[in-house]
């Protein structure tokens, strides 16, 4: 099924041919990116699809020629997000989004029923629900861009044409908008987007997904001791905060570094061409500027490391408050928990201010050094001019090129703070990815079905950094069919003893055998397939009871088997 059809579409503006003989077919649910350099006619093609510019050829939506459709009829078929549209009306965001669906909505009109629900859905998808009561003219550039996108989504038309939907958005929101457009396409909407930054946003989105997949794959294969050492709050922050920071900041940092570095190198070549002597004088300031920037970068990196640690602590405190909310209420622990939270929240605020101050100091320092270098160059050039070593035109060209370097140098200095945040987040993420997985050196398979003969022979265990053994010289045998209970006081090592059988914990001395085979010679899969475990830590996955009962079964059990297991329990 073809929703949009273009046959021989050509557009001429003035005497210049912008588009020539464009043919295309687009189906419902397609996500189409129109990319190209400035002036290539991308926006012109988008407007031609909507009949906003005169075009030769044939353009049809659902078999209807655009040229013959009334404006309101076309608006019901395709929503449009124009490029560079500004907000001049002092309306609330909710009213402005409502105009996308109700063009004649009055300032005092009430929005009811399905229209209200559609506007609510559009604001939620564009992430502007929290802005609904704000005045549109008071929003930032990025917020305005998302509000305009919500207004287009409120139409809920079968097609959406978005002209530069990523403009004015930071890299993080660019990824969010790309996800939203893909989601709209997966829902059956034909999405046509004019994009300059498609490659960067799309690549960052996929790299983030691949990075998280690799992190999760490694997480599942880490040894039990790693989770006890790190804590769930730190690991959650690596997935939710650090991985996102790496991609969002990398998109921003790489773009600025590549663009501004090329500009600085090009201008430096021009300066050498105009006067190599003056250029060498100007470059004397470079080592001093580099030394200061390295010092600032080290401070920013140290602050960001501490911030990551505090973010983990904040997650831990909030998680404990949620899990232990009954205990807090029962023992009136409100003041204590609020004090813990305020302490960590205050430290995060102080770290953020230190990071802001350090980052803001880089650009003025760099520009001050550049200004001093410029003054030295000017005074030197005046002396050369008196000695007829440089012409007035050459001097003017040199100063002009040097002044043009100030803005790129300022932007390179300003990127120091986000670059350090990116590097620290990358350290956190790749520390997880590079962590050694659980040892699985065994090569033997446990015969199935296993008999269940278990032997512990002079087994000892000591936790890392502990001063004495938790278990010492433990020996016993469990025969098939025998029931054994381990009884003792808390902390005596009962759980540790049992954990060594599936190799969650490793003995520091002695050996453990199952059916006469040392467990370190068995593959982990073979060993653990023969063991069922009811842990003291009750864990139920977010699924049905039947799915939890059958979790880990090699073959899907029948409903009767699941019911029998529930009855036996």
């Amino acid at each position: 099924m073809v929703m949009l059809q273009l046959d021989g579409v050509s557009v001429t503006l003035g005497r210049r041919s912008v588009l020539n003989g464009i043919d295309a077919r687009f189906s419902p649910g397609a996500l189409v990116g129109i990319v190209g350099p400035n002036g290539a006619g991308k926006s012109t093609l988008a407007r031609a699809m909507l009949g906003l510019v005169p075009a030769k050829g044939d353009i049809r939506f659902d078999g209807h020629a655009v040229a013959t459709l009334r404006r309101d009829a076309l608006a019901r078929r395709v929503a449009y997000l124009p490029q560079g549209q500004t907000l001049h009306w002092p309306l609330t965001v909710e009213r402005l989004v409502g105009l996308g669906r109700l063009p004649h909505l009055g300032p005092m009109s009430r929005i009811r029923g399905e229209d209200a629900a559609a506007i609510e859905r559009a604001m939620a998808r564009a992430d502007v629900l929290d802005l609904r009561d704000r005045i549109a003219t008071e929003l930032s550039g990025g917020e305005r861009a998302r509000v305009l996108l919500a207004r287009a989504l409120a139409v809920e038309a079968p097609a959406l044409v978005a002209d530069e939907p990523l403009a004015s958005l930071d890299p993080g929101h660019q990824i969010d908008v790309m996800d939203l457009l893909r989601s709209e396409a997966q829902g059956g909407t034909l999405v046509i987007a004019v994009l300059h930054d498609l490659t960067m946003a799309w690549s960052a989105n996929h790299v983030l997904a691949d990075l998280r997949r690799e992190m999760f794959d490694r997480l599942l294969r880490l040894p039990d001791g790693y989770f006890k050492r790190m804590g769930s709050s730190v690991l959650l922050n690596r997935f939710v905060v650090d991985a996102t920071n790496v991609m969002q900041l990398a998109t921003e940092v790489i773009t600025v570094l590549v663009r501004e570095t090329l500009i600085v190198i090009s201008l430096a070549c021009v300066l050498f061409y105009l006067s190599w002597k003056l250029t060498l004088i100007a470059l004397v300031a470079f080592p001093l500027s580099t030394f200061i920037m390295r010092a600032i970068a080290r401070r920013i990196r140290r602050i960001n490391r501490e911030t990551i640690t505090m973010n983990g602590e904040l997650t831990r405190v909030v998680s404990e408050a949620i899990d232990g909310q009954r205990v807090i209420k029962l023992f009136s622990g409100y003041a204590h928990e609020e004090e813990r939270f305020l302490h960590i929240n205050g430290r995060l605020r102080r770290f953020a201010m230190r990071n802001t101050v350090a980052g803001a100091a880089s650009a003025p320092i760099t520009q001050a050094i550049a200004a001093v270098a410029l003054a030295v160059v000017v005074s030197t050039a005046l002396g050369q001019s008196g000695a007829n070593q440089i012409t007035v035109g050459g001097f003017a060209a040199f100063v002009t090129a040097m002044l043009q370097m100030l803005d790129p140098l300022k932007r390179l200095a300003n990127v120091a703070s986000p670059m350090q945040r990116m590097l620290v987040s990358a350290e956190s993420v790749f520390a997880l990815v590079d962590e050694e997985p659980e040892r699985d050196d065994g090569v033997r398979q446990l015969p199935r079905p296993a008999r269940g003969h278990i032997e512990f022979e002079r087994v000892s265990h000591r936790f890392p950094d502990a001063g004495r053994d938790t278990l010492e010289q433990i020996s016993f045998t469990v025969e098939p069919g025998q029931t054994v209970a381990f009884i003792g006081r808390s902390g005596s090592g009962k759980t540790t003893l049992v954990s060594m059988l599936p190799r969650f914990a490793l003995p520091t001395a002695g050996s453990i055998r199952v059916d006469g085979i040392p467990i370190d010679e068995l593959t982990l899969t073979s060993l653990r397939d023969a063991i069922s475990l009811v842990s003291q830590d009750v864990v139920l996955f977010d699924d049905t009871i039947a799915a939890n009962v059958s979790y880990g079964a090699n073959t899907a059990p029948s409903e009767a088997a699941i019911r029998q297991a529930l009855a036996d329990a």
Side-chain angles (χ1 to χ4, degrees):
M1 175 183 176
V2 177
M3 176 177 288
L4 172 61
Q5 177 178 332
L6 284 72
D7 290 310
V9 175
S10 300
V11 175
T12 301
L13 298 178
R15 296 183 178 181
R16 186 170 71 93
S17 176
V18 180
L19 301 172
N20 186 25
I22 302 296
D23 297 317
R25 303 287 187 275
F26 304 118
S27 302
L31 174 57
V32 182
I34 303 176
V35 296
N38 290 328
K42 305 182 298 297
S43 297
T44 301
L45 177 60
R47 290 195 291 269
M49 295 176 185
L50 300 162
L52 300 178
V53 295
K56 296 180 180 179
D58 190 26
I59 305 174
R60 293 179 178 270
F61 269 104
D62 286 334
H64 301 278
V66 169
T68 62
L69 286 173
R70 292 177 49 186
R71 179 62 54 198
D72 57 344
L74 182 60
R76 289 193 296 271
R77 287 179 168 83
V78 55
Y80 180 46
L81 175 61
Q83 177 185 10
Q85 185 172 358
T86 56
L87 303 177
H88 300 293
W89 308 301
L91 300 174
T92 64
V93 167
E94 185 174 24
R95 285 273 163 183
L96 189 65
V97 174
L99 287 173
R101 187 173 182 87
L102 305 168
H104 304 294
L105 179 66
M108 303 301 293
S109 303
R110 297 188 63 182
I111 307 173
R112 297 185 176 89
E114 178 56 29
D115 291 328
I119 294 168
E120 190 84 5
R121 289 192 294 268
M123 289 193 295
R125 296 204 299 275
D127 193 23
V128 294
L129 270 177
D130 57 333
L131 305 176
R132 65 190 311 158
D133 296 322
R134 294 269 303 276
I135 301 301
T137 52
E138 299 174 356
L139 301 178
S140 67
E143 290 171 338
R144 294 185 183 196
R146 286 186 284 139
V147 168
L148 291 171
L149 178 60
R151 187 173 69 177
L153 295 176
V155 180
E156 295 191 339
L160 168 65
V161 175
D163 195 352
E164 292 293 350
L166 306 184
S168 303
L169 295 177
D170 58 72
H173 280 113
Q174 287 184 356
I175 293 174
D176 292 339
V177 169
M178 287 304 301
D179 283 337
L180 172 59
L181 295 179
R182 185 169 62 247
S183 175
E184 292 293 314
Q186 290 172 348
T189 302
L190 168 60
V191 178
I192 300 174
V194 175
L195 299 165
H196 284 126
D197 299 324
L198 173 66
T199 303
M200 183 64 77
W202 194 267
S203 299
N205 196 9
H206 279 277
V207 169
L208 178 59
D210 291 341
L211 179 61
R212 282 181 171 155
R213 177 189 54 76
E214 189 172 349
M215 291 170 65
F216 191 72
D217 182 68
R218 180 50 54 94
L219 181 76
L220 294 177
R221 288 160 176 78
L222 292 175
D224 184 70
Y226 179 85
F227 296 93
K228 294 179 179 178
R229 186 174 71 252
M230 296 302 298
S232 60
S233 60
V234 174
L235 295 174
L236 284 172
N237 269 287
R238 288 182 176 180
F239 277 88
V240 177
V241 179
D242 296 341
T244 304
N245 279 344
V246 170
M247 286 302 103
Q248 289 182 358
L249 295 172
T251 305
E252 174 185 347
V253 168
I254 292 173
T255 301
V256 173
L257 281 179
V258 172
R259 183 182 64 235
E260 305 306 331
T261 300
L262 289 176
I263 292 174
V264 169
I265 292 174
S266 301
L267 289 172
C269 293
V270 172
L271 292 176
F272 269 107
Y273 175 76
L274 293 172
S275 174
W276 64 270
K277 293 181 180 179
L278 292 178
T279 303
L280 290 178
I281 294 173
L283 289 179
V284 171
F286 183 75
L288 176 61
S289 177
T290 301
F291 175 77
I292 295 175
M293 290 303 300
R294 288 185 64 183
I296 292 175
R298 284 196 298 269
R299 175 169 174 77
I300 293 174
R301 183 175 296 190
R302 184 174 66 253
I303 293 171
N304 279 287
R305 286 197 182 107
E306 294 171 342
T307 300
I308 284 179
T309 302
M310 281 297 103
N311 275 328
E313 288 296 301
L314 184 68
T315 303
R316 179 181 61 81
V317 169
V318 174
S319 178
E320 288 177 354
I322 294 172
D323 295 338
Q325 52 91 16
R326 290 187 176 182
V327 177
I328 295 171
K329 292 173 181 175
L330 183 63
F331 293 99
S332 297
Y334 306 109
H336 175 68
E337 295 303 322
E338 287 175 356
E339 183 180 351
R340 293 172 65 202
F341 178 83
L342 289 176
H343 172 70
I344 295 174
N345 201 35
R347 292 193 66 183
L348 277 173
R349 182 188 64 81
R350 289 192 292 273
F351 287 147
M353 288 304 301
R354 292 175 189 173
N355 187 57
T356 301
V357 170
S362 59
I365 292 174
T366 303
Q367 289 201 310
I369 295 174
V372 171
L374 179 61
V376 173
V377 167
V378 170
S379 61
T380 305
L382 289 175
Q384 290 183 348
S385 176
N388 293 323
Q389 295 178 356
I390 188 171
T391 64
V392 174
F395 171 70
F398 187 90
V399 172
T400 300
M402 193 169 179
L403 289 174
Q404 287 180 336
M405 289 185 70
L406 293 181
D407 280 343
L409 289 174
K410 179 182 178 181
R411 285 189 283 269
L412 286 172
N414 286 335
V415 86
S417 180
M419 182 168 66
Q420 292 306 316
R421 291 204 309 273
M422 177 195 72
L423 293 175
V424 171
S425 296
E427 285 178 1
S428 175
V429 166
F430 289 106
L432 172 61
V433 174
D434 296 336
E435 191 71 32
E436 285 294 325
E438 190 175 24
R439 285 179 53 191
D440 189 8
D441 302 328
V443 295
R444 300 178 64 179
Q445 299 289 323
L446 187 66
R448 301 300 299 271
R451 294 189 301 112
H453 185 271
I454 300 170
E455 299 174 74
F456 277 62
E457 182 179 352
R458 303 177 67 84
V459 172
S460 299
H461 180 271
R462 178 180 295 189
F463 287 106
D465 302 325
R468 60 184 182 85
D469 289 343
T470 308
L471 299 169
E472 187 175 359
Q473 301 292 307
I474 302 295
S475 299
F476 63 89
T477 301
V478 180
E479 300 293 341
Q482 186 178 5
T483 300
V484 177
F486 297 102
I487 302 173
R489 60 182 175 81
S490 296
S492 60
K494 304 183 298 298
T495 302
T496 302
L497 181 66
V498 175
S499 296
M500 286 192 287
L501 183 59
R503 288 174 58 183
F504 294 147
L506 300 177
T508 53
S511 66
I512 305 171
R513 293 185 291 274
V514 175
D515 291 347
I517 304 174
I519 61 172
D520 56 352
E521 296 182 9
L522 294 169
T523 64
L524 286 177
T525 301
S526 173
L527 173 64
R528 292 172 181 173
D529 278 349
I531 299 173
S532 292
L533 175 67
V534 179
S535 172
Q536 64 180 1
D537 302 318
V538 178
V539 177
L540 288 177
F541 295 97
D542 187 13
D543 208 330
T544 63
I545 293 177
N548 274 275
V549 171
S550 60
Y551 187 84
N554 292 328
T555 58
S558 64
E559 182 179 347
I562 294 174
R563 290 183 179 275
Q564 184 61 48
L566 290 170
D568 292 341

